[in-house]
Amino acid sequence: RATRILNKARQARILVVGDVMLDHFIWGNVARISPEAPVPVVDFERESFMPGGAANVARNLVALGAATELFGIVGRDLSASRLKRLLLEHHIGCRGLLNAANRRTSVKTRIVAQMQQVVRVDRETRGSLDGKATARLLTALQAALPTADAVIVGDYGKGVVTCRTGSRQWGPPSMLTMGGGSFGLQIGGQAVDVIMLIMNQKGKNFLTRDKFTLGADASVAAGPVGRAASAETNAASATSTWSGSV
């Protein structure tokens, strides 16, 4: 069955929308404690970069053979340019990765010594998208929906994806289960399967039957599934996956 699912993945076109990040690693060794404070001194050896957050989800899908398009918001900065270059190297479509002058690209810098993470430094904007950025993102997403097989929504609490809690809650954010084996989003008249929902750990966001929102204003109502999916895909869509807040 796993082989059948993987074969189907290679035939699928999947959209990933959500909070994208750039993971930055600084690698080194510790040989002494700083005389200035009781902290280790890391002797720098090298650094590396990887797509993070929803961008890492897209990278994993491409590794499985799925044609993948990424949608999100980044800043107008060097980190955004570096992230886009990495995405293109991994053959991830990033025409839906839009720049916003009033936001900074999320960068997670991890300092690692002797394979042990010493500290992490976060540089990011956590507020919800403004109306203009939301409209641009939804326009790009709508244009891609007609030929999409499924959407993965990655919410890491950085403001691209927000949910307005309604009267009927699907479940706790730590593990969201969708009954009936399928769930769909209706975006601007286009319906599409959601095969996975990655929610943030803090419990601020909830997916409800009533409203699912990207950004600050434009709502995305829950609706019937879109393009016909395989039985394997429908089975996979029965349970969402949770990722800890990052």
Side-chain angles (χ1 to χ4, degrees):
R1 185 170 180 270
T3 301
R4 290 199 305 272
I5 293 174
L6 290 173
N7 288 336
K8 288 292 184 181
R10 296 186 184 99
Q11 303 170 25
R13 179 172 180 264
I14 300 177
L15 312 183
V16 178
V17 56
D19 299 304
V20 302
M21 306 168 200
L22 179 64
D23 284 340
H24 177 209
F25 296 88
I26 295 176
W27 306 88
N29 285 298
V30 173
R32 60 192 176 98
I33 300 298
S34 171
E36 303 167 350
V39 294
V41 176
V42 178
D43 291 323
F44 175 86
E45 291 186 345
R46 62 185 175 91
E47 64 180 344
S48 59
F49 296 88
M50 288 182 60
N56 183 53
V57 175
R59 185 176 71 92
N60 290 332
L61 285 168
V62 168
L64 291 174
T68 305
E69 189 90 17
L70 182 62
F71 294 81
I73 299 291
V74 293
R76 295 187 183 276
D77 47 36
L78 291 175
S79 296
S81 299
R82 187 187 296 273
L83 177 57
K84 287 185 178 181
R85 285 198 302 271
L86 285 171
L87 293 171
L88 291 174
E89 288 173 8
H90 288 285
H91 307 290
I92 298 167
C94 54
R95 287 178 297 178
L97 194 58
L98 309 178
N99 299 92
N102 62 345
R103 297 179 73 86
R104 69 186 307 171
T105 304
S106 290
V107 180
K108 310 288 183 179
T109 300
R110 298 167 177 86
I111 300 177
V112 183
Q114 276 94 5
M115 304 307 295
Q116 173 68 45
Q117 183 172 315
V118 177
V119 69
R120 192 180 86 179
V121 179
D122 289 359
R123 290 165 283 183
E124 61 190 11
T125 302
R126 296 191 183 94
S128 295
L129 298 183
D130 60 28
K132 184 177 180 180
T134 299
R136 289 171 58 217
L137 181 59
L138 282 174
T139 297
L141 186 57
Q142 267 184 253
L145 284 177
T147 56
D149 294 289
V151 171
I152 291 178
V153 179
D155 177 17
Y156 296 88
K158 311 306 177 188
V160 171
V161 181
T162 60
C163 299
R164 298 171 185 171
T165 305
S167 59
R168 292 168 293 178
Q169 185 180 310
W170 277 93
S174 58
M175 184 57 71
L176 189 77
T177 300
M178 292 170 283
S182 62
F183 185 81
L185 291 183
Q186 186 84 19
I187 304 177
Q190 296 285 346
V192 64
D193 289 344
V194 175
I195 62 171
M196 187 181 296
L197 291 145
I198 303 171
M199 307 298 288
N200 77 70
Q201 182 184 19
K202 296 179 180 178
K204 293 181 180 179
N205 293 350
F206 295 87
L207 182 71
T208 71
R209 292 176 185 266
D210 302 305
K211 194 74 68 175
F212 185 92
T213 306
L214 294 177
D217 302 313
S219 63
V220 181
V225 298
R227 268 182 78 179
S230 67
E232 289 85 2
T233 301
N234 279 331
S237 70
T239 304
S240 77
T241 299
W242 164 75
S243 174
S245 179
V246 294

